[in-house]
Amino acid sequence: MMPLQVGSSTEDKAFARVRVAGLDTEGLVARGDAPDWLLERGNTVLTLDGMPLPRFIPGPYTEGIATGGVAVLRSPGDYRVMLWGESPLVSVGSHSCLDYGELRCGSGEIHISAQFTAAGGMEIDARNGGYVKIGKQSQCGPRVMILTDDMHTIRDMHSGKRVNPYGGRVVIGERVWMGLEAIIKGNADIGSDSVIGARSMATGVLPANSVCVGVPARPVRTEIVWEHADVPE
């Protein structure tokens, strides 16, 4: 691995931004072996020393490659990271598994806390300044989608006002279980220790310690906890 030149302004700014975001910088090194096309635009990749890198891919054809972006990755794996726009920030906590998932961040932020698990095919998309935060020990079933934005504009035909989220926020608490093909939409706020049912669509505020199902998802049972172990009683 070839680290960036110690004290370089790009690296210094990246570490400063990570600290401002409240993220731990201990043990992180800047990766000079990240793709040249990414580093040449003033982006920085920070990982634990010697950690295998995920695959980085260019942004959408209409947006291009990010400038001034930072990726803070504490977990290796077979997942993809797409950065575009101005100063996107992506962080993945330790002991997390995102295999076959994709993180897409355009001028926004994605923060995945420690011990997160995704079963495969997960997509997280934070665009137009959108923000996603997932609490520790949460998990996704296969093909879960977390989207801050619908990617297209829907307007009221009379006022012309946009009626769907633009650069929304998604906040998912700790130990949230998102079932098979669940969709989490912009401006969702999901309380800790909750379950989002398979193929449900979550938006708005959903309470902690609840099972939420449907389109849109609504609590059908409250005062629950769940655990990873699949036991009879």
Side-chain angles (χ1 to χ4, degrees), residues 125-128 145-154 162-168 183-187 201-203:
D125 191 300
R127 62 182 59 215
N128 300 323
M145 300 183 70
I146 301 173
L147 312 169
T148 63
D149 194 308
D150 293 330
M151 306 182 197
H152 302 288
T153 303
I154 302 174
R162 181 173 177 136
V163 297
N164 58 329
Y166 179 85
I183 298 175
I184 317 298
K185 297 198 64 179
N187 301 328
M201 181 181 291
T203 187

mmCIF file with all atom_site columns, all heavy atoms in Angstrom, residues 125-128 145-154 162-168 183-187 201-203:
data_model
loop_
_atom_site.group_PDB
_atom_site.id
_atom_site.type_symbol
_atom_site.label_atom_id
_atom_site.label_alt_id
_atom_site.label_comp_id
_atom_site.label_asym_id
_atom_site.label_entity_id
_atom_site.label_seq_id
_atom_site.pdbx_PDB_ins_code
_atom_site.Cartn_x
_atom_site.Cartn_y
_atom_site.Cartn_z
_atom_site.occupancy
_atom_site.B_iso_or_equiv
_atom_site.pdbx_formal_charge
_atom_site.auth_seq_id
_atom_site.auth_comp_id
_atom_site.auth_asym_id
_atom_site.auth_atom_id
_atom_site.pdbx_PDB_model_num
ATOM 1   N N   . ASP A 1 125 ? -28.825 4.730  -1.170  1.00 0.00 ? 125 ASP A N   1
ATOM 2   C CA  . ASP A 1 125 ? -28.647 5.839  -2.102  1.00 0.00 ? 125 ASP A CA  1
ATOM 3   C C   . ASP A 1 125 ? -28.973 7.147  -1.386  1.00 0.00 ? 125 ASP A C   1
ATOM 4   O O   . ASP A 1 125 ? -30.119 7.386  -1.015  1.00 0.00 ? 125 ASP A O   1
ATOM 5   C CB  . ASP A 1 125 ? -29.560 5.643  -3.316  1.00 0.00 ? 125 ASP A CB  1
ATOM 6   C CG  . ASP A 1 125 ? -29.252 6.608  -4.443  1.00 0.00 ? 125 ASP A CG  1
ATOM 7   O OD1 . ASP A 1 125 ? -29.350 7.836  -4.224  1.00 0.00 ? 125 ASP A OD1 1
ATOM 8   O OD2 . ASP A 1 125 ? -28.924 6.154  -5.553  1.00 0.00 ? 125 ASP A OD2 1
ATOM 9   N N   . ALA A 1 126 ? -27.945 7.969  -1.165  1.00 0.00 ? 126 ALA A N   1
ATOM 10  C CA  . ALA A 1 126 ? -28.130 9.290  -0.555  1.00 0.00 ? 126 ALA A CA  1
ATOM 11  C C   . ALA A 1 126 ? -27.674 10.333 -1.561  1.00 0.00 ? 126 ALA A C   1
ATOM 12  O O   . ALA A 1 126 ? -26.472 10.503 -1.783  1.00 0.00 ? 126 ALA A O   1
ATOM 13  C CB  . ALA A 1 126 ? -27.343 9.402  0.748   1.00 0.00 ? 126 ALA A CB  1
ATOM 14  N N   . ARG A 1 127 ? -28.609 11.011 -2.178  1.00 0.00 ? 127 ARG A N   1
ATOM 15  C CA  . ARG A 1 127 ? -28.285 11.977 -3.220  1.00 0.00 ? 127 ARG A CA  1
ATOM 16  C C   . ARG A 1 127 ? -28.860 13.344 -2.890  1.00 0.00 ? 127 ARG A C   1
ATOM 17  O O   . ARG A 1 127 ? -29.665 13.502 -1.988  1.00 0.00 ? 127 ARG A O   1
ATOM 18  C CB  . ARG A 1 127 ? -28.780 11.507 -4.584  1.00 0.00 ? 127 ARG A CB  1
ATOM 19  C CG  . ARG A 1 127 ? -30.282 11.331 -4.666  1.00 0.00 ? 127 ARG A CG  1
ATOM 20  C CD  . ARG A 1 127 ? -30.690 10.816 -6.041  1.00 0.00 ? 127 ARG A CD  1
ATOM 21  N NE  . ARG A 1 127 ? -30.061 9.546  -6.347  1.00 0.00 ? 127 ARG A NE  1
ATOM 22  C CZ  . ARG A 1 127 ? -29.663 9.206  -7.578  1.00 0.00 ? 127 ARG A CZ  1
ATOM 23  N NH1 . ARG A 1 127 ? -29.837 10.022 -8.596  1.00 0.00 ? 127 ARG A NH1 1
ATOM 24  N NH2 . ARG A 1 127 ? -29.114 8.029  -7.787  1.00 0.00 ? 127 ARG A NH2 1
ATOM 25  N N   . ASN A 1 128 ? -28.397 14.361 -3.641  1.00 0.00 ? 128 ASN A N   1
ATOM 26  C CA  . ASN A 1 128 ? -28.902 15.728 -3.468  1.00 0.00 ? 128 ASN A CA  1
ATOM 27  C C   . ASN A 1 128 ? -28.767 16.222 -2.031  1.00 0.00 ? 128 ASN A C   1
ATOM 28  O O   . ASN A 1 128 ? -29.658 16.875 -1.489  1.00 0.00 ? 128 ASN A O   1
ATOM 29  C CB  . ASN A 1 128 ? -30.367 15.819 -3.909  1.00 0.00 ? 128 ASN A CB  1
ATOM 30  C CG  . ASN A 1 128 ? -30.553 15.454 -5.362  1.00 0.00 ? 128 ASN A CG  1
ATOM 31  O OD1 . ASN A 1 128 ? -29.712 15.780 -6.204  1.00 0.00 ? 128 ASN A OD1 1
ATOM 32  N ND2 . ASN A 1 128 ? -31.631 14.748 -5.676  1.00 0.00 ? 128 ASN A ND2 1
ATOM 33  N N   . MET A 1 145 ? -33.670 -1.740 0.048   1.00 0.00 ? 145 MET A N   1
ATOM 34  C CA  . MET A 1 145 ? -33.291 -0.462 -0.557  1.00 0.00 ? 145 MET A CA  1
ATOM 35  C C   . MET A 1 145 ? -33.556 0.668  0.432   1.00 0.00 ? 145 MET A C   1
ATOM 36  O O   . MET A 1 145 ? -34.644 0.745  1.012   1.00 0.00 ? 145 MET A O   1
ATOM 37  C CB  . MET A 1 145 ? -34.065 -0.223 -1.848  1.00 0.00 ? 145 MET A CB  1
ATOM 38  C CG  . MET A 1 145 ? -33.833 -1.280 -2.910  1.00 0.00 ? 145 MET A CG  1
ATOM 39  S SD  . MET A 1 145 ? -34.714 -0.915 -4.469  1.00 0.00 ? 145 MET A SD  1
ATOM 40  C CE  . MET A 1 145 ? -33.764 0.488  -5.053  1.00 0.00 ? 145 MET A CE  1
ATOM 41  N N   . ILE A 1 146 ? -32.559 1.527  0.599   1.00 0.00 ? 146 ILE A N   1
ATOM 42  C CA  . ILE A 1 146 ? -32.680 2.706  1.460   1.00 0.00 ? 146 ILE A CA  1
ATOM 43  C C   . ILE A 1 146 ? -32.389 3.914  0.579   1.00 0.00 ? 146 ILE A C   1
ATOM 44  O O   . ILE A 1 146 ? -31.271 4.081  0.075   1.00 0.00 ? 146 ILE A O   1
ATOM 45  C CB  . ILE A 1 146 ? -31.701 2.626  2.642   1.00 0.00 ? 146 ILE A CB  1
ATOM 46  C CG1 . ILE A 1 146 ? -31.983 1.367  3.472   1.00 0.00 ? 146 ILE A CG1 1
ATOM 47  C CG2 . ILE A 1 146 ? -31.797 3.880  3.508   1.00 0.00 ? 146 ILE A CG2 1
ATOM 48  C CD1 . ILE A 1 146 ? -30.964 1.105  4.565   1.00 0.00 ? 146 ILE A CD1 1
ATOM 49  N N   . LEU A 1 147 ? -33.392 4.766  0.382   1.00 0.00 ? 147 LEU A N   1
ATOM 50  C CA  . LEU A 1 147 ? -33.318 5.836  -0.611  1.00 0.00 ? 147 LEU A CA  1
ATOM 51  C C   . LEU A 1 147 ? -33.737 7.164  0.019   1.00 0.00 ? 147 LEU A C   1
ATOM 52  O O   . LEU A 1 147 ? -34.846 7.272  0.549   1.00 0.00 ? 147 LEU A O   1
ATOM 53  C CB  . LEU A 1 147 ? -34.245 5.539  -1.797  1.00 0.00 ? 147 LEU A CB  1
ATOM 54  C CG  . LEU A 1 147 ? -34.160 4.139  -2.410  1.00 0.00 ? 147 LEU A CG  1
ATOM 55  C CD1 . LEU A 1 147 ? -35.317 3.930  -3.389  1.00 0.00 ? 147 LEU A CD1 1
ATOM 56  C CD2 . LEU A 1 147 ? -32.826 3.959  -3.110  1.00 0.00 ? 147 LEU A CD2 1
ATOM 57  N N   . THR A 1 148 ? -32.870 8.175  -0.058  1.00 0.00 ? 148 THR A N   1
ATOM 58  C CA  . THR A 1 148 ? -33.263 9.488  0.467   1.00 0.00 ? 148 THR A CA  1
ATOM 59  C C   . THR A 1 148 ? -34.139 10.251 -0.520  1.00 0.00 ? 148 THR A C   1
ATOM 60  O O   . THR A 1 148 ? -34.805 11.210 -0.138  1.00 0.00 ? 148 THR A O   1
ATOM 61  C CB  . THR A 1 148 ? -32.022 10.348 0.772   1.00 0.00 ? 148 THR A CB  1
ATOM 62  O OG1 . THR A 1 148 ? -31.312 10.602 -0.446  1.00 0.00 ? 148 THR A OG1 1
ATOM 63  C CG2 . THR A 1 148 ? -31.109 9.650  1.764   1.00 0.00 ? 148 THR A CG2 1
ATOM 64  N N   . ASP A 1 149 ? -34.136 9.839  -1.770  1.00 0.00 ? 149 ASP A N   1
ATOM 65  C CA  . ASP A 1 149 ? -34.709 10.639 -2.843  1.00 0.00 ? 149 ASP A CA  1
ATOM 66  C C   . ASP A 1 149 ? -35.290 9.689  -3.884  1.00 0.00 ? 149 ASP A C   1
ATOM 67  O O   . ASP A 1 149 ? -34.763 8.592  -4.094  1.00 0.00 ? 149 ASP A O   1
ATOM 68  C CB  . ASP A 1 149 ? -33.579 11.487 -3.449  1.00 0.00 ? 149 ASP A CB  1
ATOM 69  C CG  . ASP A 1 149 ? -34.046 12.602 -4.351  1.00 0.00 ? 149 ASP A CG  1
ATOM 70  O OD1 . ASP A 1 149 ? -34.834 12.335 -5.279  1.00 0.00 ? 149 ASP A OD1 1
ATOM 71  O OD2 . ASP A 1 149 ? -33.613 13.746 -4.150  1.00 0.00 ? 149 ASP A OD2 1
ATOM 72  N N   . ASP A 1 150 ? -36.361 10.089 -4.540  1.00 0.00 ? 150 ASP A N   1
ATOM 73  C CA  . ASP A 1 150 ? -36.983 9.239  -5.549  1.00 0.00 ? 150 ASP A CA  1
ATOM 74  C C   . ASP A 1 150 ? -36.273 9.266  -6.896  1.00 0.00 ? 150 ASP A C   1
ATOM 75  O O   . ASP A 1 150 ? -36.682 8.568  -7.825  1.00 0.00 ? 150 ASP A O   1
ATOM 76  C CB  . ASP A 1 150 ? -38.444 9.650  -5.755  1.00 0.00 ? 150 ASP A CB  1
ATOM 77  C CG  . ASP A 1 150 ? -39.293 9.378  -4.535  1.00 0.00 ? 150 ASP A CG  1
ATOM 78  O OD1 . ASP A 1 150 ? -38.980 8.421  -3.805  1.00 0.00 ? 150 ASP A OD1 1
ATOM 79  O OD2 . ASP A 1 150 ? -40.252 10.131 -4.283  1.00 0.00 ? 150 ASP A OD2 1
ATOM 80  N N   . MET A 1 151 ? -35.278 10.130 -7.050  1.00 0.00 ? 151 MET A N   1
ATOM 81  C CA  . MET A 1 151 ? -34.460 10.240 -8.268  1.00 0.00 ? 151 MET A CA  1
ATOM 82  C C   . MET A 1 151 ? -35.162 10.971 -9.401  1.00 0.00 ? 151 MET A C   1
ATOM 83  O O   . MET A 1 151 ? -34.533 11.285 -10.420 1.00 0.00 ? 151 MET A O   1
ATOM 84  C CB  . MET A 1 151 ? -33.961 8.865  -8.747  1.00 0.00 ? 151 MET A CB  1
ATOM 85  C CG  . MET A 1 151 ? -33.232 8.073  -7.698  1.00 0.00 ? 151 MET A CG  1
ATOM 86  S SD  . MET A 1 151 ? -32.632 6.502  -8.351  1.00 0.00 ? 151 MET A SD  1
ATOM 87  C CE  . MET A 1 151 ? -32.315 5.615  -6.818  1.00 0.00 ? 151 MET A CE  1
ATOM 88  N N   . HIS A 1 152 ? -36.438 11.246 -9.252  1.00 0.00 ? 152 HIS A N   1
ATOM 89  C CA  . HIS A 1 152 ? -37.176 12.047 -10.228 1.00 0.00 ? 152 HIS A CA  1
ATOM 90  C C   . HIS A 1 152 ? -38.102 12.994 -9.461  1.00 0.00 ? 152 HIS A C   1
ATOM 91  O O   . HIS A 1 152 ? -38.362 12.791 -8.275  1.00 0.00 ? 152 HIS A O   1
ATOM 92  C CB  . HIS A 1 152 ? -38.001 11.163 -11.165 1.00 0.00 ? 152 HIS A CB  1
ATOM 93  C CG  . HIS A 1 152 ? -37.180 10.164 -11.923 1.00 0.00 ? 152 HIS A CG  1
ATOM 94  N ND1 . HIS A 1 152 ? -36.334 10.509 -12.947 1.00 0.00 ? 152 HIS A ND1 1
ATOM 95  C CD2 . HIS A 1 152 ? -37.063 8.822  -11.775 1.00 0.00 ? 152 HIS A CD2 1
ATOM 96  C CE1 . HIS A 1 152 ? -35.740 9.423  -13.411 1.00 0.00 ? 152 HIS A CE1 1
ATOM 97  N NE2 . HIS A 1 152 ? -36.170 8.382  -12.715 1.00 0.00 ? 152 HIS A NE2 1
ATOM 98  N N   . THR A 1 153 ? -38.578 13.998 -10.148 1.00 0.00 ? 153 THR A N   1
ATOM 99  C CA  . THR A 1 153 ? -39.425 15.017 -9.513  1.00 0.00 ? 153 THR A CA  1
ATOM 100 C C   . THR A 1 153 ? -40.897 14.749 -9.788  1.00 0.00 ? 153 THR A C   1
ATOM 101 O O   . THR A 1 153 ? -41.291 14.477 -10.923 1.00 0.00 ? 153 THR A O   1
ATOM 102 C CB  . THR A 1 153 ? -39.064 16.412 -10.043 1.00 0.00 ? 153 THR A CB  1
ATOM 103 O OG1 . THR A 1 153 ? -37.677 16.658 -9.811  1.00 0.00 ? 153 THR A OG1 1
ATOM 104 C CG2 . THR A 1 153 ? -39.892 17.495 -9.348  1.00 0.00 ? 153 THR A CG2 1
ATOM 105 N N   . ILE A 1 154 ? -41.707 14.822 -8.744  1.00 0.00 ? 154 ILE A N   1
ATOM 106 C CA  . ILE A 1 154 ? -43.166 14.777 -8.874  1.00 0.00 ? 154 ILE A CA  1
ATOM 107 C C   . ILE A 1 154 ? -43.701 16.124 -8.383  1.00 0.00 ? 154 ILE A C   1
ATOM 108 O O   . ILE A 1 154 ? -43.398 16.539 -7.257  1.00 0.00 ? 154 ILE A O   1
ATOM 109 C CB  . ILE A 1 154 ? -43.771 13.633 -8.045  1.00 0.00 ? 154 ILE A CB  1
ATOM 110 C CG1 . ILE A 1 154 ? -43.182 12.287 -8.465  1.00 0.00 ? 154 ILE A CG1 1
ATOM 111 C CG2 . ILE A 1 154 ? -45.293 13.613 -8.177  1.00 0.00 ? 154 ILE A CG2 1
ATOM 112 C CD1 . ILE A 1 154 ? -43.620 11.123 -7.607  1.00 0.00 ? 154 ILE A CD1 1
ATOM 113 N N   . ARG A 1 162 ? -42.824 20.810 -5.814  1.00 0.00 ? 162 ARG A N   1
ATOM 114 C CA  . ARG A 1 162 ? -42.394 19.418 -5.687  1.00 0.00 ? 162 ARG A CA  1
ATOM 115 C C   . ARG A 1 162 ? -43.056 18.796 -4.465  1.00 0.00 ? 162 ARG A C   1
ATOM 116 O O   . ARG A 1 162 ? -43.097 19.400 -3.391  1.00 0.00 ? 162 ARG A O   1
ATOM 117 C CB  . ARG A 1 162 ? -40.875 19.324 -5.558  1.00 0.00 ? 162 ARG A CB  1
ATOM 118 C CG  . ARG A 1 162 ? -40.376 17.884 -5.448  1.00 0.00 ? 162 ARG A CG  1
ATOM 119 C CD  . ARG A 1 162 ? -38.859 17.783 -5.484  1.00 0.00 ? 162 ARG A CD  1
ATOM 120 N NE  . ARG A 1 162 ? -38.455 16.392 -5.296  1.00 0.00 ? 162 ARG A NE  1
ATOM 121 C CZ  . ARG A 1 162 ? -37.533 15.760 -5.989  1.00 0.00 ? 162 ARG A CZ  1
ATOM 122 N NH1 . ARG A 1 162 ? -36.908 16.391 -6.963  1.00 0.00 ? 162 ARG A NH1 1
ATOM 123 N NH2 . ARG A 1 162 ? -37.222 14.502 -5.739  1.00 0.00 ? 162 ARG A NH2 1
ATOM 124 N N   . VAL A 1 163 ? -43.578 17.572 -4.635  1.00 0.00 ? 163 VAL A N   1
ATOM 125 C CA  . VAL A 1 163 ? -44.301 16.929 -3.542  1.00 0.00 ? 163 VAL A CA  1
ATOM 126 C C   . VAL A 1 163 ? -43.592 15.692 -3.000  1.00 0.00 ? 163 VAL A C   1
ATOM 127 O O   . VAL A 1 163 ? -44.024 15.143 -1.984  1.00 0.00 ? 163 VAL A O   1
ATOM 128 C CB  . VAL A 1 163 ? -45.739 16.556 -3.979  1.00 0.00 ? 163 VAL A CB  1
ATOM 129 C CG1 . VAL A 1 163 ? -46.539 17.799 -4.325  1.00 0.00 ? 163 VAL A CG1 1
ATOM 130 C CG2 . VAL A 1 163 ? -45.717 15.585 -5.157  1.00 0.00 ? 163 VAL A CG2 1
ATOM 131 N N   . ASN A 1 164 ? -42.531 15.230 -3.650  1.00 0.00 ? 164 ASN A N   1
ATOM 132 C CA  . ASN A 1 164 ? -41.785 14.082 -3.129  1.00 0.00 ? 164 ASN A CA  1
ATOM 133 C C   . ASN A 1 164 ? -40.455 14.546 -2.557  1.00 0.00 ? 164 ASN A C   1
ATOM 134 O O   . ASN A 1 164 ? -39.976 15.639 -2.873  1.00 0.00 ? 164 ASN A O   1
ATOM 135 C CB  . ASN A 1 164 ? -41.593 13.006 -4.207  1.00 0.00 ? 164 ASN A CB  1
ATOM 136 C CG  . ASN A 1 164 ? -40.869 13.513 -5.438  1.00 0.00 ? 164 ASN A CG  1
ATOM 137 O OD1 . ASN A 1 164 ? -40.968 14.677 -5.804  1.00 0.00 ? 164 ASN A OD1 1
ATOM 138 N ND2 . ASN A 1 164 ? -40.137 12.633 -6.093  1.00 0.00 ? 164 ASN A ND2 1
ATOM 139 N N   . PRO A 1 165 ? -39.842 13.757 -1.661  1.00 0.00 ? 165 PRO A N   1
ATOM 140 C CA  . PRO A 1 165 ? -38.627 14.210 -0.972  1.00 0.00 ? 165 PRO A CA  1
ATOM 141 C C   . PRO A 1 165 ? -37.495 14.525 -1.934  1.00 0.00 ? 165 PRO A C   1
ATOM 142 O O   . PRO A 1 165 ? -37.320 13.885 -2.969  1.00 0.00 ? 165 PRO A O   1
ATOM 143 C CB  . PRO A 1 165 ? -38.262 13.010 -0.079  1.00 0.00 ? 165 PRO A CB  1
ATOM 144 C CG  . PRO A 1 165 ? -39.535 12.271 0.110   1.00 0.00 ? 165 PRO A CG  1
ATOM 145 C CD  . PRO A 1 165 ? -40.292 12.435 -1.172  1.00 0.00 ? 165 PRO A CD  1
ATOM 146 N N   . TYR A 1 166 ? -36.717 15.543 -1.573  1.00 0.00 ? 166 TYR A N   1
ATOM 147 C CA  . TYR A 1 166 ? -35.510 15.907 -2.299  1.00 0.00 ? 166 TYR A CA  1
ATOM 148 C C   . TYR A 1 166 ? -34.382 15.974 -1.278  1.00 0.00 ? 166 TYR A C   1
ATOM 149 O O   . TYR A 1 166 ? -34.412 16.784 -0.354  1.00 0.00 ? 166 TYR A O   1
ATOM 150 C CB  . TYR A 1 166 ? -35.678 17.258 -2.986  1.00 0.00 ? 166 TYR A CB  1
ATOM 151 C CG  . TYR A 1 166 ? -34.445 17.711 -3.756  1.00 0.00 ? 166 TYR A CG  1
ATOM 152 C CD1 . TYR A 1 166 ? -34.235 17.292 -5.062  1.00 0.00 ? 166 TYR A CD1 1
ATOM 153 C CD2 . TYR A 1 166 ? -33.510 18.560 -3.172  1.00 0.00 ? 166 TYR A CD2 1
ATOM 154 C CE1 . TYR A 1 166 ? -33.123 17.700 -5.784  1.00 0.00 ? 166 TYR A CE1 1
ATOM 155 C CE2 . TYR A 1 166 ? -32.392 18.975 -3.882  1.00 0.00 ? 166 TYR A CE2 1
ATOM 156 C CZ  . TYR A 1 166 ? -32.203 18.554 -5.183  1.00 0.00 ? 166 TYR A CZ  1
ATOM 157 O OH  . TYR A 1 166 ? -31.097 18.957 -5.891  1.00 0.00 ? 166 TYR A OH  1
ATOM 158 N N   . GLY A 1 167 ? -33.407 15.088 -1.437  1.00 0.00 ? 167 GLY A N   1
ATOM 159 C CA  . GLY A 1 167 ? -32.313 15.084 -0.478  1.00 0.00 ? 167 GLY A CA  1
ATOM 160 C C   . GLY A 1 167 ? -32.789 14.839 0.943   1.00 0.00 ? 167 GLY A C   1
ATOM 161 O O   . GLY A 1 167 ? -32.385 15.518 1.886   1.00 0.00 ? 167 GLY A O   1
ATOM 162 N N   . GLY A 1 168 ? -33.652 13.863 1.128   1.00 0.00 ? 168 GLY A N   1
ATOM 163 C CA  . GLY A 1 168 ? -34.240 13.598 2.437   1.00 0.00 ? 168 GLY A CA  1
ATOM 164 C C   . GLY A 1 168 ? -33.264 12.965 3.416   1.00 0.00 ? 168 GLY A C   1
ATOM 165 O O   . GLY A 1 168 ? -32.114 12.663 3.083   1.00 0.00 ? 168 GLY A O   1
ATOM 166 N N   . ILE A 1 183 ? -38.299 -1.406 1.625   1.00 0.00 ? 183 ILE A N   1
ATOM 167 C CA  . ILE A 1 183 ? -37.846 -0.130 1.074   1.00 0.00 ? 183 ILE A CA  1
ATOM 168 C C   . ILE A 1 183 ? -37.978 0.928  2.165   1.00 0.00 ? 183 ILE A C   1
ATOM 169 O O   . ILE A 1 183 ? -39.045 1.098  2.758   1.00 0.00 ? 183 ILE A O   1
ATOM 170 C CB  . ILE A 1 183 ? -38.676 0.278  -0.156  1.00 0.00 ? 183 ILE A CB  1
ATOM 171 C CG1 . ILE A 1 183 ? -38.518 -0.757 -1.277  1.00 0.00 ? 183 ILE A CG1 1
ATOM 172 C CG2 . ILE A 1 183 ? -38.260 1.665  -0.643  1.00 0.00 ? 183 ILE A CG2 1
ATOM 173 C CD1 . ILE A 1 183 ? -39.399 -0.489 -2.480  1.00 0.00 ? 183 ILE A CD1 1
ATOM 174 N N   . ILE A 1 184 ? -36.871 1.629  2.421   1.00 0.00 ? 184 ILE A N   1
ATOM 175 C CA  . ILE A 1 184 ? -36.859 2.708  3.405   1.00 0.00 ? 184 ILE A CA  1
ATOM 176 C C   . ILE A 1 184 ? -36.706 4.006  2.623   1.00 0.00 ? 184 ILE A C   1
ATOM 177 O O   . ILE A 1 184 ? -35.699 4.211  1.940   1.00 0.00 ? 184 ILE A O   1
ATOM 178 C CB  . ILE A 1 184 ? -35.705 2.543  4.417   1.00 0.00 ? 184 ILE A CB  1
ATOM 179 C CG1 . ILE A 1 184 ? -35.584 1.082  4.881   1.00 0.00 ? 184 ILE A CG1 1
ATOM 180 C CG2 . ILE A 1 184 ? -35.881 3.506  5.570   1.00 0.00 ? 184 ILE A CG2 1
ATOM 181 C CD1 . ILE A 1 184 ? -36.786 0.533  5.596   1.00 0.00 ? 184 ILE A CD1 1
ATOM 182 N N   . LYS A 1 185 ? -37.685 4.896  2.730   1.00 0.00 ? 185 LYS A N   1
ATOM 183 C CA  . LYS A 1 185 ? -37.708 6.085  1.882   1.00 0.00 ? 185 LYS A CA  1
ATOM 184 C C   . LYS A 1 185 ? -37.270 7.327  2.641   1.00 0.00 ? 185 LYS A C   1
ATOM 185 O O   . LYS A 1 185 ? -37.163 7.350  3.863   1.00 0.00 ? 185 LYS A O   1
ATOM 186 C CB  . LYS A 1 185 ? -39.108 6.283  1.299   1.00 0.00 ? 185 LYS A CB  1
ATOM 187 C CG  . LYS A 1 185 ? -39.560 5.163  0.380   1.00 0.00 ? 185 LYS A CG  1
ATOM 188 C CD  . LYS A 1 185 ? -40.724 5.585  -0.486  1.00 0.00 ? 185 LYS A CD  1
ATOM 189 C CE  . LYS A 1 185 ? -40.319 6.711  -1.422  1.00 0.00 ? 185 LYS A CE  1
ATOM 190 N NZ  . LYS A 1 185 ? -41.434 7.123  -2.297  1.00 0.00 ? 185 LYS A NZ  1
ATOM 191 N N   . GLY A 1 186 ? -37.046 8.394  1.866   1.00 0.00 ? 186 GLY A N   1
ATOM 192 C CA  . GLY A 1 186 ? -36.608 9.661  2.425   1.00 0.00 ? 186 GLY A CA  1
ATOM 193 C C   . GLY A 1 186 ? -37.509 10.148 3.538   1.00 0.00 ? 186 GLY A C   1
ATOM 194 O O   . GLY A 1 186 ? -38.735 10.028 3.472   1.00 0.00 ? 186 GLY A O   1
ATOM 195 N N   . ASN A 1 187 ? -36.862 10.699 4.593   1.00 0.00 ? 187 ASN A N   1
ATOM 196 C CA  . ASN A 1 187 ? -37.536 11.245 5.770   1.00 0.00 ? 187 ASN A CA  1
ATOM 197 C C   . ASN A 1 187 ? -38.125 10.172 6.674   1.00 0.00 ? 187 ASN A C   1
ATOM 198 O O   . ASN A 1 187 ? -39.009 10.465 7.487   1.00 0.00 ? 187 ASN A O   1
ATOM 199 C CB  . ASN A 1 187 ? -38.598 12.286 5.380   1.00 0.00 ? 187 ASN A CB  1
ATOM 200 C CG  . ASN A 1 187 ? -37.999 13.453 4.598   1.00 0.00 ? 187 ASN A CG  1
ATOM 201 O OD1 . ASN A 1 187 ? -36.849 13.819 4.837   1.00 0.00 ? 187 ASN A OD1 1
ATOM 202 N ND2 . ASN A 1 187 ? -38.751 14.010 3.676   1.00 0.00 ? 187 ASN A ND2 1
ATOM 203 N N   . MET A 1 201 ? -42.825 -0.715 2.939   1.00 0.00 ? 201 MET A N   1
ATOM 204 C CA  . MET A 1 201 ? -42.233 0.568  2.565   1.00 0.00 ? 201 MET A CA  1
ATOM 205 C C   . MET A 1 201 ? -42.320 1.511  3.755   1.00 0.00 ? 201 MET A C   1
ATOM 206 O O   . MET A 1 201 ? -43.418 1.901  4.164   1.00 0.00 ? 201 MET A O   1
ATOM 207 C CB  . MET A 1 201 ? -42.932 1.182  1.354   1.00 0.00 ? 201 MET A CB  1
ATOM 208 C CG  . MET A 1 201 ? -42.334 2.523  0.921   1.00 0.00 ? 201 MET A CG  1
ATOM 209 S SD  . MET A 1 201 ? -43.208 3.236  -0.478  1.00 0.00 ? 201 MET A SD  1
ATOM 210 C CE  . MET A 1 201 ? -42.768 2.088  -1.778  1.00 0.00 ? 201 MET A CE  1
ATOM 211 N N   . ALA A 1 202 ? -41.165 1.831  4.329   1.00 0.00 ? 202 ALA A N   1
ATOM 212 C CA  . ALA A 1 202 ? -41.129 2.646  5.541   1.00 0.00 ? 202 ALA A CA  1
ATOM 213 C C   . ALA A 1 202 ? -40.845 4.095  5.200   1.00 0.00 ? 202 ALA A C   1
ATOM 214 O O   . ALA A 1 202 ? -39.902 4.407  4.464   1.00 0.00 ? 202 ALA A O   1
ATOM 215 C CB  . ALA A 1 202 ? -40.064 2.114  6.497   1.00 0.00 ? 202 ALA A CB  1
ATOM 216 N N   . THR A 1 203 ? -41.673 4.987  5.751   1.00 0.00 ? 203 THR A N   1
ATOM 217 C CA  . THR A 1 203 ? -41.444 6.422  5.629   1.00 0.00 ? 203 THR A CA  1
ATOM 218 C C   . THR A 1 203 ? -42.067 7.091  6.843   1.00 0.00 ? 203 THR A C   1
ATOM 219 O O   . THR A 1 203 ? -42.929 6.517  7.511   1.00 0.00 ? 203 THR A O   1
ATOM 220 C CB  . THR A 1 203 ? -42.036 6.976  4.318   1.00 0.00 ? 203 THR A CB  1
ATOM 221 O OG1 . THR A 1 203 ? -41.652 8.349  4.165   1.00 0.00 ? 203 THR A OG1 1
ATOM 222 C CG2 . THR A 1 203 ? -43.548 6.860  4.308   1.00 0.00 ? 203 THR A CG2 1
#
